[in-house]
Every structure is written in structure tokens, then in C-alpha cells.
Amino acid sequence: MSKLFEGAVKGWKFVLSFLAISILFWLAQFAYQVYFGAVLSFDMAIVRSFAFVGATFIALALLCSIVFKFYPKYAKYHYVRRSFGVMGVVFGILHIYSALNAYFFWDLSKVYFSLNPIENPLIFGSAAFSLLFIMLLTSTDWAEEKLTPPRWKMIHRVVYFAYWALVAHFLLINPPAIMNLPGYVLIAAVLLTLAGQLYWFVKMSSMRKFANLGTKIGFFIILLYLILAYFVYVKYFG
């Protein structure tokens, strides 16, 4: 019983510590946007800082998965990956709330002025949030147990599509806003994550002789990223 109590205390200490670090990271992002981000108002600084923190945390959560594959001994720290993911979605929710309030005044007709995602990257953002929110609701040991691990893993594989939609959203929504220190940090995290995912995709698929369904889905996701790269090139350099 004492060991169980000690484990619960350690768990809460980690949660509170991670929450404090997350808030400090957001405050640093907010301060950067206010003093160096060329924003026009505090509202804009809040919106952008929530966006950068949320997207960076989700990238770090996926990067943790890659590190665990390279170094399985660190997989025992899976709760760190989960914490990054959960806080990433929480900051995403705050980003959406603040953007709806500051930019759109809660008028959804302004948000969905076009259903063409290239013309209106908010469509990509909506898709990413919807999938990530499902993952947030099931990101507990209780949910994994009730769904059973195989079904839980199947549900959480949608993160690959959610992440693609998230990357498409922030790369296409406002290119100049990414050309700063927080944007470079985010892009670096994204590139490391995608490089790691590609490495393990090739490694695992080659072991299965590129014949299973997962391989076909993987190739489809790669195709999506290549298409996205084309539109990003056009938007930034075209």
C-alpha cells in the first residue's frame, strides 16, 4: 500500500512539474511574440504563442516515440511522450479558442469561408484537431485497458494523418509568421520527426517485404507529404 501511495505522489509531482515547465515555455513564447514577433496586439501574441507551443509539443511527443525505438530502454518514460501529446492538444484548444475570439468573433462563416484546404488551411487545422482530440480522450491507461491494446494502438495510428494535417495547417496558413526563432525550432522538430518516421517505416516495411497494409498506408502518407511540399514551395517561393 505504501509503494502504491509513493507511486501516486511521484506521479502527481511529475504532472505538476511538467505543467509548470509547459507554462514557462508558453510564457517564453508569448514574450518572444510580444517583443520580437512583430505582432500587432497582445491578442495576436496569445494566438501565435499557443499555436507554436501546441505544435511543438505534439512534434516532441512523436519524436519521443522515435527515440524510444532507437533506445528501447527509455520506453519506460512513455508518460513523458503522453504528457507532451496531451499538453500539445490542450495548447491547441487554447489556440483555437483565442483565434475564434480575436480573429473571427465566433463567426464560423468567417472560419469556413472556403472548403478548399489550399485556399483555406483552417480546414487542415480543423481536421488535425478533430483527430488529435479523439486521441486526447483515449490517452489514459483506463481507455487503453477498456479498448484493449490492439484496438487502442489502431485508433492512435491516426496520429500520422493528424500530424500531416497539422503540418499542412501551420505551413500554409501564414508563411511569414513562421520565419522566426519559434518557427525554426518547430520546423527543426518536424524535420527530425519526419526523418525518424521515414527511417523506421523503411526499416520495418523492408522486414515485411513491403507487402502488408501498413506499408501501403505509409506510402500514401509519404505521397501526401510530397504533395504538401509542392504547395508549400509554391506558397513560399512561387
Side-chain angles (χ1 to χ4, degrees):
M1 187 69 177
S2 60
K3 289 184 178 180
L4 182 63
F5 178 75
E6 289 175 5
V9 170
K10 288 181 180 178
W12 276 109
K13 284 183 177 179
F14 171 79
V15 170
L16 293 175
S17 298
F18 194 91
L19 181 60
I21 292 171
S22 300
I23 293 173
L24 289 174
F25 185 63
W26 170 72
L27 287 173
Q29 290 269 10
F30 176 69
Y32 182 92
Q33 293 298 330
V34 170
Y35 294 107
F36 306 105
V39 294
L40 302 177
S41 65
F42 277 93
D43 284 344
M44 186 180 294
I46 289 172
V47 172
R48 288 189 183 178
S49 59
F50 282 149
F52 278 117
V53 175
T56 302
F57 273 23
I58 290 171
L60 291 175
L62 292 172
L63 197 55
C64 284
S65 295
I66 294 166
V67 171
F68 294 161
K69 288 181 179 179
F70 278 111
Y71 305 101
K73 65 180 180 179
Y74 294 122
K76 61 183 178 180
Y77 300 114
H78 59 90
Y79 52 86
V80 175
R81 174 184 60 193
R82 178 180 294 178
S83 299
F84 273 124
V86 168
M87 288 307 300
V89 178
V90 169
F91 278 109
I93 293 171
L94 293 173
H95 166 64
I96 293 169
Y97 178 88
S98 58
L100 284 172
N101 185 63
Y103 295 160
F104 305 105
F105 307 104
W106 299 97
D107 185 351
L108 293 182
S109 65
K110 295 180 180 178
V111 176
Y112 300 110
F113 64 90
S114 171
L115 296 181
N116 180 347
I118 303 303
E119 180 181 315
N120 180 17
L122 293 172
I123 302 297
F124 287 132
S126 298
F129 173 74
S130 299
L131 295 175
L132 290 170
F133 189 71
I134 292 173
M135 295 185 64
L136 174 67
L137 294 178
T138 57
S139 290
T140 63
D141 293 334
W142 179 85
E144 183 176 358
E145 180 182 349
K146 292 298 181 182
L147 290 169
T148 70
R151 189 176 299 170
W152 184 86
K153 288 180 180 179
M154 182 179 67
I155 292 173
H156 277 241
R157 285 194 180 101
V158 302
V159 71
Y160 296 110
F161 291 98
Y163 192 57
W164 175 85
L166 177 64
V167 172
H169 170 68
F170 70 70
L171 285 181
L172 295 173
I173 190 69
N174 186 4
I178 304 177
M179 299 296 104
N180 51 46
L181 181 59
Y184 300 145
V185 171
L186 174 57
I187 291 172
V190 169
L191 291 177
L192 283 172
T193 300
L194 294 182
Q197 288 179 344
L198 182 60
Y199 172 84
W200 284 106
F201 168 71
V202 173
K203 185 177 179 65
M204 299 305 293
S205 296
S206 62
M207 293 173 61
R208 301 184 178 96
K209 302 185 183 300
F210 298 94
N212 64 331
L213 177 61
T215 297
K216 296 176 182 178
I217 295 174
F219 278 124
F220 177 68
I221 293 174
I222 291 173
L223 177 61
L224 289 178
Y225 274 107
L226 292 175
I227 294 172
L228 173 61
Y230 167 77
F231 284 108
V232 169
Y233 177 82
V234 170
K235 191 150 191 174
Y236 280 71
F237 307 106

